[in-house]
Amino acid sequence: MKSESDRTLRRPPAAWIGTVVLLLFVAILLRPCLAALAEHYRKEAIALRVPLEAFDLERLPSFLEAPPGSSFPVAPASEEALGTRHLLQRSLKERNGRGLASLTVAYYSDPHDKVPHTPDVCYRQAGTVVENLRTITIATPDLGPEYPHVQARAMTMVQDRASGVLVYLFVANGDIVPGRNQARWIIARPGARHVYFSKVEVMASIGTTGGSDSALARCEAVIREVLPVLIAEHFPRREDLWRR
Amino acid sequence: MTQQTQPDSEQAAYPALRFGVVLALWLWAFWPEVSRAAGYAASDSNWSHAWAAPVLAGALCIRRRVELHRSLTRGSWVGLLALLASVGVFASAIWPLGFGYLADVGAVMTLAAALWAVGGRRFFNRCSPVILIVLLSFPIGQRMYASLIIRPETYTMAASRAVLDTIPGVEVTLDGPDLHFVRGERTGTIALGASNRGAALLVTYAVVGVFVAFSRIRPLWALALMGLAAGPVVLAANLLRMLTWGVVTMYGSAGPVSPGPRIVASIVSLLLAWAVFLVIAGALDRLDSLRTAAQADAASSESERDDEE
């Protein structure tokens, strides 16, 4: 005859039964449930209100169009590399000075689009040495009261003995964030019917017209002037993103 | 010294059966994540240690079998709650977040919580190195890995250039991520075209460290010290990998994209990491035995004093 301790040893503990039930639920039901939820709340693309190609540089108080091919440390990325055909790439020149900057805006709206590499990662693959990378705050009075200032990532980089400053940020479903992961969180939020995100990137070379502070100030000025135009005229309105 | 008793076969059979069922269910439930990790291990040398993970985890379990059996209880309700939370993390990573690596972490959390729920907290503690090895076998996405290694890769490439440039008759320059060399009439690039060339195998070195540190039961302070040493050891092994790659490329006869220098550099650096971790663990064990002996001496002299009184 078996002893009490033997019977205790053989009887499955309640925690074990609970674990088995939960794992069976994961194995059999969880994935189909998640797939059904994903299908039900599937997001859709939303078009730009005005194509980026139609961006009017006359709207920028401090900059005008410069001839392409100015001396920037890194060549502008192609449509293929950026993975979108909604692209704005312009060379800018200060109206009251000789300072140059290059602006790249890439727009994505396919729900399957991945938020692209940030410049600090992908430019290194092209041979750029990142000397400094930090988060900066840029005053944007024209975006107030919602965004009186925005955060962006700024990096100092060197390639082929030319050095420059690059500032970038993301606009995701109307929110302005400095990092790729923050943009991913925003576009992953359930509820919105449509999804879009955009990477705004400004580069200025160091050396010909002042040091890195001057190049950084120029990048900040471009962001300060371009963002309000993009949000007011090009990117979809917030209210159009939600289910109705 | 405490006599370590082996669990008798019937005592071990029922818990082993229950754990077998839980592990089989976990594998079934998370097969897409496990098979994706295996696919990565087959295609990316950075994660090929995942093939060795079951062997390492099994070896750790065997080495700790007595402690594992001793710490076993009839389970934990807190562990079951942790299991529920882990399933929640996994599910939210699949939808709505769509974060692949978070789903992998959720899968490993689920394994950890299942062990906690079935074996109890002390059993879970004893299993933690095995769980750590499993976690380190799931690949971090390429984009995330690329952003995490910016600093280590930059410093490693700069240090490699500085060290290799001191070799007489060799001139080494760094151009972006490329190390170019001139040796006599021979010129070339070290680790030409290799992805993450300045920061590869970092996780593999860490897995070696985890295995060495937990291959026997060590006090917490020794594990903490090994944890502190792990970062520098991993970075040093990575630097040695790059230096070996450079030397073999410059002095060997392999072609510019031959896998030979990479394989030699990987083996040499892994051996170095293993040896350094072993030396550190040995030194800490020696320190621990001295400490234990001193405590025993103090206790015996105190009891002698008591006897005299």
Side-chain angles (χ1 to χ4, degrees):
Chain A
M1 196 175 155
K2 291 286 176 187
S3 67
E4 181 62 29
S5 67
D6 279 344
R7 277 198 296 274
T8 309
L9 197 65
R10 287 181 174 204
R11 197 177 64 233
W16 180 81
I17 295 171
T19 303
V20 166
V21 169
L22 254 176
L23 288 177
L24 277 172
F25 165 73
V26 176
I28 298 167
L29 287 176
L30 184 64
R31 287 177 204 270
C33 290
L34 292 172
L37 278 169
E39 178 58 29
H40 181 74
Y41 290 103
R42 191 158 50 94
K43 290 177 181 165
E44 295 165 13
I46 185 165
L48 285 156
R49 279 184 285 159
V50 177
L52 290 175
E53 295 79 5
F55 188 92
D56 183 9
L57 288 181
E58 290 302 314
R59 301 287 310 277
L60 307 182
S62 314
F63 296 89
L64 48 83
E65 183 145 24
S70 307
S71 60
F72 299 116
V74 180
S78 63
E79 276 183 21
E80 193 181 32
L82 284 166
T84 179
R85 56 187 182 81
H86 302 292
L87 202 56
L88 168 67
Q89 288 190 312
R90 296 288 173 85
S91 294
L92 306 175
K93 180 181 173 298
E94 285 174 326
R95 288 182 193 272
N96 303 319
R98 293 189 298 121
L100 299 169
S102 97
L103 167 70
T104 303
V105 182
Y107 177 85
Y108 305 79
S109 182
D110 185 333
H112 300 293
D113 276 334
K114 297 283 182 192
V115 182
H117 269 314
T118 49
D120 39 304
V121 174
C122 62
Y123 285 0
R124 289 177 70 246
Q125 311 299 332
T128 299
V129 176
V130 178
E131 291 193 327
N132 187 298
L133 179 64
R134 60 208 181 277
T135 302
I136 59 168
T137 301
I138 303 171
T140 47
D142 291 346
L143 288 177
E146 194 180 7
Y147 281 105
H149 47 75
V150 296
Q151 287 200 314
R153 297 285 276 166
M155 66 187 220
T156 310
M157 56 191 185
V158 178
Q159 183 171 359
D160 299 333
R161 295 194 176 82
S163 55
V165 171
L166 187 149
V167 175
Y168 69 87
L169 51 73
F170 290 91
V171 182
N173 274 17
D175 288 335
I176 303 167
V177 290
R180 178 175 175 267
N181 283 331
Q182 290 142 309
R184 289 181 74 191
W185 280 106
I186 291 166
I187 59 177
R189 275 186 213 151
R193 179 173 179 175
H194 300 282
V195 65
Y196 83 87
F197 60 90
S198 171
K199 186 170 73 166
V200 181
E201 199 177 296
V202 183
M203 266 194 287
S205 57
I206 300 172
T208 51
T209 51
S212 64
D213 288 346
S214 157
L216 179 64
R218 217 177 313 141
C219 291
E220 289 181 4
V222 174
I223 294 265
R224 189 179 300 119
E225 295 180 13
V226 164
L227 264 186
V229 180
L230 288 172
I231 288 174
E233 295 176 16
H234 294 265
F235 293 157
R237 290 189 192 89
R238 256 183 207 277
E239 55 269 29
D240 294 337
L241 299 171
W242 298 93
R243 290 170 190 283
R244 276 180 292 213
Chain B
M1 198 180 148
T2 320
Q3 182 74 34
Q4 293 205 332
T5 49
Q6 300 286 327
D8 80 43
S9 59
E10 192 171 1
Q11 273 185 325
Y14 293 113
L17 186 67
R18 284 173 201 146
F19 278 105
V21 169
V22 166
L23 286 179
L25 281 176
W26 181 83
L27 266 179
W28 179 25
F30 297 102
W31 186 248
E33 285 69 31
V34 173
S35 57
R36 195 170 58 233
Y40 244 90
S43 63
D44 185 344
S45 60
N46 249 343
W47 300 98
S48 51
H49 62 268
W51 290 115
V55 177
L56 297 177
L60 281 182
C61 287
I62 290 169
R63 287 187 67 88
R64 310 178 139 228
R65 64 190 181 281
V66 176
E67 288 78 14
L68 285 172
H69 192 264
R70 269 199 206 129
S71 57
L72 202 57
T73 66
R74 286 182 65 77
S76 158
W77 290 104
V78 180
L80 202 59
L81 285 178
L83 179 60
L84 203 59
S86 305
V87 170
V89 169
F90 172 76
S92 60
I94 300 272
W95 184 87
L97 299 177
F99 285 11
Y101 186 62
L102 187 61
D104 291 346
V105 171
V108 179
M109 281 171 66
T110 305
L111 174 65
L115 294 174
W116 183 1
V118 174
R121 191 180 58 80
R122 286 192 63 222
F123 179 82
F124 164 75
N125 287 346
R126 292 286 186 226
C127 285
S128 52
V130 175
I131 294 161
L132 191 53
I133 285 180
V134 174
L135 179 65
L136 292 174
S137 303
F138 279 89
I140 301 171
Q142 283 177 349
R143 288 171 195 237
M144 198 196 296
Y145 188 79
S147 64
L148 288 175
I149 61 162
I150 291 176
R151 280 178 204 278
E153 185 167 40
T154 305
Y155 294 141
T156 302
M157 294 306 278
S160 302
R161 190 212 67 79
V163 173
L164 292 172
D165 200 45
T166 60
I167 299 173
V170 171
E171 190 185 329
V172 180
T173 53
L174 180 61
D175 181 14
D178 292 327
L179 273 177
H180 304 293
F181 71 89
V182 179
R183 181 177 154 258
E185 291 185 356
R186 195 170 165 197
T187 62
T189 303
I190 297 163
L192 180 66
S195 60
N196 307 319
R197 66 203 76 168
L201 298 181
L202 300 182
V203 186
T204 312
Y205 303 133
V207 167
V208 171
V210 170
F211 183 74
V212 171
F214 291 95
S215 57
R216 54 178 289 191
I217 303 291
R218 293 193 161 87
L220 199 59
W221 63 265
L223 293 175
L225 286 178
M226 282 202 78
L228 283 178
V233 174
V234 165
L235 293 176
N238 181 51
L239 176 61
L240 181 77
R241 181 187 58 80
M242 205 57 223
L243 294 176
T244 311
W245 198 332
V247 170
V248 174
T249 305
M250 290 188 296
Y251 289 92
S253 55
V257 289
S258 161
R262 178 178 63 79
I263 293 168
V264 172
S266 300
I267 292 171
V268 167
S269 61
L270 281 168
L271 285 175
L272 172 95
W274 179 66
V276 173
F277 280 124
L278 270 186
V279 168
I280 295 172
L284 291 172
D285 288 346
R286 177 90 185 120
L287 206 62
D288 187 41
S289 59
L290 287 174
R291 197 179 64 98
T292 312
Q295 281 174 345
D297 281 350
S300 74
S301 56
E302 197 170 318
S303 75
E304 277 171 18
R305 217 171 24 249
D306 288 347
D307 289 346
E308 283 168 12
E309 280 172 10

